[in-house]
Amino acid sequence: MRFLDAIRVALDQIRVQKLKSFFTLIGVIIGVMFLIGVVSIVEGLNHKIEVDFAGKFLGVNTFNVRRMPNINVGDVTEAEWRSWQRRPKITKEDAYAIKAALPEDARWAIQDARTVNAQSDYKRAGAPVLAEAVTPEYFTIKDITVSKGRLLTEQEEALGTNVVVIGTDVADEYFPNLDPLGRTLRLEGTEFRVIGVMDKQGKSLGFNFDNQVFGPFNSAMHLVTYSFRDIAGIVVQAPNENALSDVQAQVRELMRRRRRLHPGDPDNFVLETTQSAFAAWDKVKQVLVLAGIALPTIGLVVGAIVIMNIMLVAVAERTREIGIRKALGARRRDIRRQFLVESSTLSVFGALLGIAGGFGISGFLRLVDFPTTVAPWSILLSVAVGGGVGVLAGTYPAMRAARLDPIVALRSE
């Protein structure tokens, strides 16, 4: 029997005995379905964290100079937290020293932030907002654009003009059904004139990027955020990915000199990148992916056992057919290949149904606003696993069929 004929026979069995085939393949279907589903959840969370959240929080080819990490995915011990609290604060003098040491093609910005109460002539009290004192290049580094008005300028930074760029949620909250441009927003009692409204940023992992207010660092905004004490961080952007490590090394060397650290002393500051911020998440992701592969294996093992039993029944039912084929010249390897192809076809068909079910799980979760992304490698793995299960499950029945004595097989009824 040719290879394609063996596939056709297997598909005919599926078509004629639909219910039997479904229950035969249920283990493979469930195993593959949950493999696709679990991996899509992990990949979706990974994309949400590393691309969406971290991309907006940290930026591209960017690192933050901070007193302590701003993003913690893993557990932090109390001793580690206390050691961070004892570190020297990051100051604006540190920021301007870093600016002077950077190469010309690198970007730099100061960022300080504090959640404060806001008011306007149209809303006396509303939801608190995140007030941020920044230097103008911050918007370029974070790729922030406006839907109305404009961004902060270097002149407004130098003069300390009390102007702000606000998020869309702040605009809707404090200037309902009004154009906020040119109007006054009060933060902790200090008045700021609105000059721009950011493009909608959305939410990610509970943080609302549209509930932010940005003002020049040298304006009264630094009083609102308490920047006269210390600053939250210094944002540095390298010109490209290849230059990022060199720029980090320059900044680390400068900060260690300013802190008078000896060669054996650990850093008492942090240079936070996407990789360092989510190092703990990478470990969690690896465990989840392994679990997503290991747990469905149980279903696949059950499926393999069922397929093997069904193939053994098929061998018993088709004993006379096997005898006739041997009498006509079929070799052992021909019989063996026939049953291996049939069992593999059954298993791969079950894997395809499982892949469809995995896509269904992923699509349903997206409908309820849960991030999922089907990884192409998980589809290829599912098809390979389906074929592998079929080969393993069909090996013993195929060998048993190949060893049948043609005379005894022909006598079978």
Side-chain angles (χ1 to χ4, degrees):
M1 182 180 291
R2 293 178 301 176
F3 180 77
L4 293 179
D5 290 334
I7 293 177
R8 180 180 54 77
V9 169
L11 294 176
D12 286 342
Q13 283 188 340
I14 294 173
R15 179 176 56 81
V16 173
Q17 301 178 346
K18 298 181 181 65
L19 190 61
K20 177 183 176 182
S21 298
F22 174 77
F23 284 111
T24 301
L25 301 175
I26 191 70
V28 176
I29 294 171
I30 292 175
V32 169
M33 181 171 66
F34 280 99
L35 170 63
I36 296 288
V38 171
V39 172
S40 71
I41 291 172
V42 175
E43 289 293 321
L45 286 173
N46 182 62
H47 185 274
K48 192 75 172 176
I49 290 173
E50 293 188 359
V51 178
D52 191 358
F53 186 74
K56 290 178 179 178
F57 234 94
L58 297 175
V60 179
N61 301 327
T62 301
F63 63 93
N64 289 350
V65 184
R66 301 182 62 87
R67 184 185 181 193
M68 63 185 71
N70 189 34
I71 303 172
N72 292 303
V73 178
D75 292 331
V76 177
T77 64
E78 186 174 350
E80 191 173 15
W81 176 257
R82 287 179 177 177
S83 70
W84 289 348
Q85 293 289 329
R86 291 193 296 268
R87 288 178 174 181
K89 296 178 179 179
I90 302 293
T91 65
K92 66 177 181 181
E93 288 75 23
D94 291 328
Y96 287 109
I98 289 173
K99 179 182 180 181
L102 288 176
E104 292 184 0
D105 52 357
R107 292 192 175 97
W108 159 97
I110 295 176
Q111 179 198 17
D112 197 29
R114 177 171 164 252
T115 300
V116 301
N117 295 316
Q119 289 182 337
S120 73
D121 293 336
Y122 316 96
K123 189 71 175 284
R124 300 299 297 173
V129 301
L130 183 65
E132 301 195 48
V134 299
T135 49
E137 275 204 314
Y138 180 85
F139 298 98
T140 304
I141 293 172
K142 300 294 184 179
D143 194 25
I144 295 174
T145 54
V146 292
S147 58
K148 293 181 180 180
R150 58 178 178 81
L151 297 171
L152 309 177
T153 65
E154 293 287 352
Q155 184 178 15
E156 288 166 336
E157 165 66 15
L159 295 175
T161 309
N162 286 354
V163 293
V164 288
V165 176
I166 63 176
T168 54
D169 283 3
V170 179
D172 294 339
E173 177 81 12
Y174 291 97
F175 304 99
N177 302 317
L178 295 168
D179 184 353
L181 297 183
R183 302 182 190 274
T184 299
L185 181 69
R186 286 182 289 278
L187 304 174
E188 301 288 280
T190 303
E191 294 187 349
F192 294 86
R193 179 169 55 87
V194 178
I195 61 169
V197 179
M198 294 190 301
D199 284 319
K200 191 166 185 62
Q201 304 287 306
K203 299 178 181 179
S204 184
L205 300 181
F207 184 83
N208 186 358
F209 290 94
D210 295 318
N211 193 43
Q212 301 179 89
V213 176
F214 295 95
F217 177 77
N218 283 321
S219 70
M221 185 63 81
H222 82 277
L223 301 176
V224 173
T225 62
Y226 295 165
S227 302
F228 54 87
R229 298 178 181 174
D230 62 333
I231 58 177
I234 305 154
V235 188
V236 180
Q237 184 178 50
N240 53 64
E241 185 177 359
N242 294 331
L244 181 59
S245 59
D246 291 337
V247 175
Q248 280 184 271
Q250 292 175 355
V251 172
R252 175 174 280 110
E253 182 181 354
L254 172 67
M255 288 296 293
R256 288 183 64 86
R257 285 202 311 268
R258 289 181 61 83
R259 300 289 174 88
R260 294 182 174 86
L261 296 175
H262 299 301
D265 295 337
D267 293 342
N268 54 9
F269 56 90
V270 62
L271 304 184
E272 190 174 51
T273 64
T274 303
Q275 290 74 22
S276 64
F278 294 104
W281 162 247
D282 288 337
K283 295 178 182 177
V284 173
K285 181 179 72 174
Q286 291 174 4
V287 172
L288 290 175
V289 170
L290 289 175
I293 295 174
L295 293 178
T297 302
I298 299 172
L300 294 172
V301 169
V302 173
I305 293 171
V306 174
I307 291 174
M308 184 175 65
N309 288 330
I310 293 299
M311 293 306 297
L312 286 172
V313 172
V315 171
E317 290 176 346
R318 295 160 62 184
T319 301
R320 187 174 181 81
E321 174 194 328
I322 295 169
I324 293 172
R325 289 198 61 208
K326 283 197 168 187
L328 294 175
R331 294 163 295 184
R332 283 191 174 188
R333 66 181 182 185
D334 297 324
I335 302 298
R336 191 164 51 242
R337 184 178 66 176
Q338 173 189 347
F339 281 92
L340 282 175
V341 170
E342 287 185 21
S343 64
S344 298
T345 301
L346 283 167
S347 184
V348 169
F349 186 78
L352 293 177
L353 292 178
I355 291 171
F359 271 92
I361 292 174
S362 179
F364 172 76
L365 291 175
R366 280 199 297 271
L367 286 177
V368 296
D369 203 27
F370 192 93
T372 59
T373 302
V374 176
W377 65 264
S378 66
I379 299 174
L380 297 176
L381 178 63
S382 298
V383 174
V385 165
V389 166
V391 171
L392 291 175
T395 297
Y396 175 67
M399 292 176 64
R400 184 170 177 176
R403 287 198 299 263
L404 284 175
D405 185 292
I407 296 176
V408 175
L410 285 171
R411 290 176 179 170
S412 176
E413 293 295 337

